[in-house]
Amino acid sequence: MYEELVEIVKNKLKSSSHDLSHTFRVYGNCLRIAQNEPNCVVNLDVLQAAALLHDIARPEEDAHKDGKKVDHAILGAQQAQEILLKLGKTEQFAEFVASTIRTHRFRGGLVPESMEAKILFDADKLDVIGNVGIARSYMKLRSEERFSRNAETD
């Protein structure tokens, strides 16, 4: 399943700030957190699928600059569920992954409840901090034309 999901994500994510490298960093963060958290019991299959698919709807959110808000976490949960069902996963598995993705967004207002959802939430936020995260933030702002080289004249 891993290879199939990587191919799907690779073909879908073309945004400069939420590309395959971001997905792999979040995936790695998820695995490190799960392995190093004391007494942590998680479904690794769910966590891995959620990490790979967590930004699958980011292109749709990025495309809606006309004021119609698309939440990539909500839409991505739906898309992930459809993808997993097409790959032959059970409804229960697909819903668990979807609920994990649905709550990964800080601005979404939904609170992660399962350990898998909490790990994905933290892993995604860890990628925002540090040099890579700062660079990604500037790339996103620049792509949205909200960043100006000369802020004093804007």
Side-chain angles (χ1 to χ4, degrees):
M1 175 180 70
Y2 173 85
E3 292 84 10
E4 293 167 306
L5 293 180
V6 168
E7 280 304 310
I8 291 167
V9 172
K10 186 180 354 177
N11 292 329
K12 181 94 187 264
L13 295 182
K14 308 248 188 261
S15 173
S16 61
S17 65
H18 291 85
D19 59 5
L20 196 58
S21 61
H22 164 70
T23 299
F24 283 144
R25 287 190 304 272
V26 170
Y27 180 88
N29 288 343
C30 282
L31 295 181
R32 280 187 289 282
I33 293 169
Q35 291 167 353
N36 292 300
E37 185 68 26
N39 304 316
C40 182
V41 178
V42 297
N43 182 323
L44 280 178
D45 290 334
V46 167
L47 185 60
Q48 290 170 330
L52 290 172
L53 295 170
H54 80 280
D55 278 340
I56 196 72
R58 186 53 93 154
E60 287 90 336
E61 182 175 305
D62 291 346
H64 283 81
K65 297 178 182 176
D66 59 0
K68 295 180 183 173
K69 186 69 175 151
V70 172
D71 184 334
H72 79 277
I74 301 298
L75 182 58
Q78 295 167 355
Q79 290 179 3
Q81 193 165 15
E82 292 168 9
I83 289 166
L84 293 167
L85 291 172
K86 286 180 185 174
L87 291 176
K89 296 298 179 185
T90 67
E91 182 71 39
Q92 182 181 7
F93 179 85
E95 175 51 38
F96 195 170
V97 172
S99 69
T100 301
I101 292 170
R102 197 175 295 118
T103 60
H104 88 275
R105 185 172 193 188
F106 182 71
R107 286 179 242 144
L110 299 175
V111 178
E113 294 182 15
S114 71
M115 183 58 72
E116 292 81 358
K118 291 174 183 178
I119 290 172
L120 178 61
F121 181 91
D122 289 346
D124 193 40
K125 301 315 154 267
L126 284 171
D127 194 51
V128 174
I129 60 177
N131 293 339
V132 171
I134 292 168
R136 284 182 56 240
S137 296
Y138 277 115
M139 288 169 39
K140 179 146 179 61
L141 289 172
R142 187 75 171 156
S143 71
E144 293 177 0
E145 298 177 5
R146 291 192 291 167
F147 178 81
S148 173
R149 289 179 193 213
N150 189 352
E152 292 178 8
T153 61
D154 287 347

